[in-house]
Amino acid sequence: MSPVVHWKRLVRYIAEDGIVRLGEPKVGTDSFDILKLAREGNLTVEILEGSSVLSAKPTGGEEKVESLLAPLAVKEVPFVRCIGLNYKTHILETGRPLPTCPTIFSKPATVIAGPTEDVPIPRIAQGQCDYEGELTILIGKDAKNVSEEDALDYVAAYTVGNDVSARDWQREPEKAGPIPQWTFSKSFDNQGQTLQAGSLIMTGTPGGVGLFMKPPRFLKQDDEVTVEIEGTGRISNTIQFE
């Protein structure tokens, strides 16, 4: 399987000269914390150049990172596909039976935030605001009618995501409506569904969300939510009620 991209790890960042660039972190082992290094001013990268994250290639140049941004700019992401009820621990805590197929829904690219960026929560969504830490997949080339054995040939990279959710607007009929599963059933293109290069797939949360704690524990103003996946990365965002 040939690699889809020309880098092993990538960050998008503001350099010391104020310019936004792409780079590959210069670290010696797999056991490191890129977010911590960046916050301490100790993150050095090899500069990458290209028209997008997917086409970026090493230049040989190096520089220090001033601050980290989301690895993908909003304009680079055509679609965010989300998988619900994908992890057994989460399904069991909801009290639902194990499904044959997971729930599929979508998000606009404007939901993307940086790894330390504050997350603004509008007033109508503050009552039952919850977190979902998720492994997120970056699609590296257009994919349609792909077999299971060929699926990983289309994966460019993995990253960390937090699927921030307003539970009342998700679940209560007077707000959410009575009929689930709108997105997938109404989104076929001609005779299939194309995942365009640059699309993200949020693979769903494991168990432990605030909604199903006893009693439920929803996010509040100034809560900091940290999601970490070993070997992939870490994000840490502060909740800001608008």
Side-chain angles (χ1 to χ4, degrees):
M1 181 175 67
S2 59
V4 180
V5 291
H6 302 279
W7 40 265
K8 292 184 178 179
R9 289 185 178 268
L10 176 140
V11 294
R12 182 168 155 266
Y13 62 95
I14 299 175
E16 292 178 325
D17 59 8
I19 296 176
V20 175
R21 294 193 180 92
L22 301 173
E24 181 157 3
K26 300 287 290 184
V27 288
T29 68
D30 289 335
S31 57
F32 56 84
D33 187 335
I34 290 176
L35 192 61
K36 182 173 183 290
L37 289 173
R39 281 176 162 172
E40 294 173 347
N42 295 323
L43 180 59
T44 299
V45 298
E46 180 177 6
I47 301 170
L48 303 174
E49 286 187 355
S51 59
S52 72
V53 164
L54 297 176
S55 64
K57 297 181 179 181
T59 64
E62 296 183 6
E63 67 180 353
K64 279 286 193 72
V65 169
E66 181 68 22
S67 60
L68 289 177
L69 301 172
L72 292 160
V74 170
K75 65 181 181 181
E76 292 186 272
V77 182
F79 191 77
V80 183
R81 173 69 58 88
C82 303
I83 312 298
L85 299 179
N86 197 25
Y87 286 82
K88 187 175 181 179
T89 53
H90 181 49
I91 299 169
L92 293 177
E93 73 178 355
T94 70
R96 294 184 175 94
L98 298 179
T100 303
C101 297
T103 300
I104 296 175
F105 60 99
S106 66
K107 288 171 168 279
T110 50
V111 301
I112 294 173
T116 61
E117 190 175 342
D118 289 349
V119 177
I121 306 299
R123 186 176 299 275
I124 64 170
Q126 293 173 7
Q128 296 185 20
C129 184
D130 205 354
Y131 58 86
E132 293 190 358
E134 306 195 8
L135 175 68
T136 302
I137 299 168
L138 171 62
I139 298 298
K141 53 186 178 181
D142 290 0
K144 185 174 182 179
N145 299 330
V146 176
S147 65
E148 182 177 350
E149 56 267 27
D150 293 335
L152 293 182
D153 291 345
Y154 292 81
V155 173
Y158 302 91
T159 188
V160 181
N162 179 11
D163 183 14
V164 180
S165 304
R167 297 300 187 190
D168 46 353
W169 288 94
Q170 177 187 9
R171 294 163 51 87
E172 297 177 4
E174 63 272 20
K175 294 180 179 179
I179 302 175
Q181 198 69 295
W182 288 93
T183 303
F184 182 73
S185 62
K186 292 178 178 287
S187 301
F188 294 102
D189 51 35
N190 301 333
Q191 76 288 61
Q193 285 191 354
T194 301
L195 287 175
Q196 297 164 283
S199 296
L200 297 172
I201 301 176
M202 300 191 75
T203 62
T205 183
V209 299
L211 174 64
F212 297 108
M213 293 181 179
K214 300 186 184 301
R217 293 176 58 186
F218 296 114
L219 297 174
K220 305 180 298 297
Q221 171 69 20
D222 294 329
D223 279 353
E224 184 174 347
V225 182
T226 298
V227 180
E228 184 171 4
I229 298 176
E230 185 177 357
T232 299
R234 179 168 65 95
I235 58 176
S236 188
N237 305 94
T238 300
I239 299 300
Q240 293 293 326
F241 283 0
E242 294 182 324

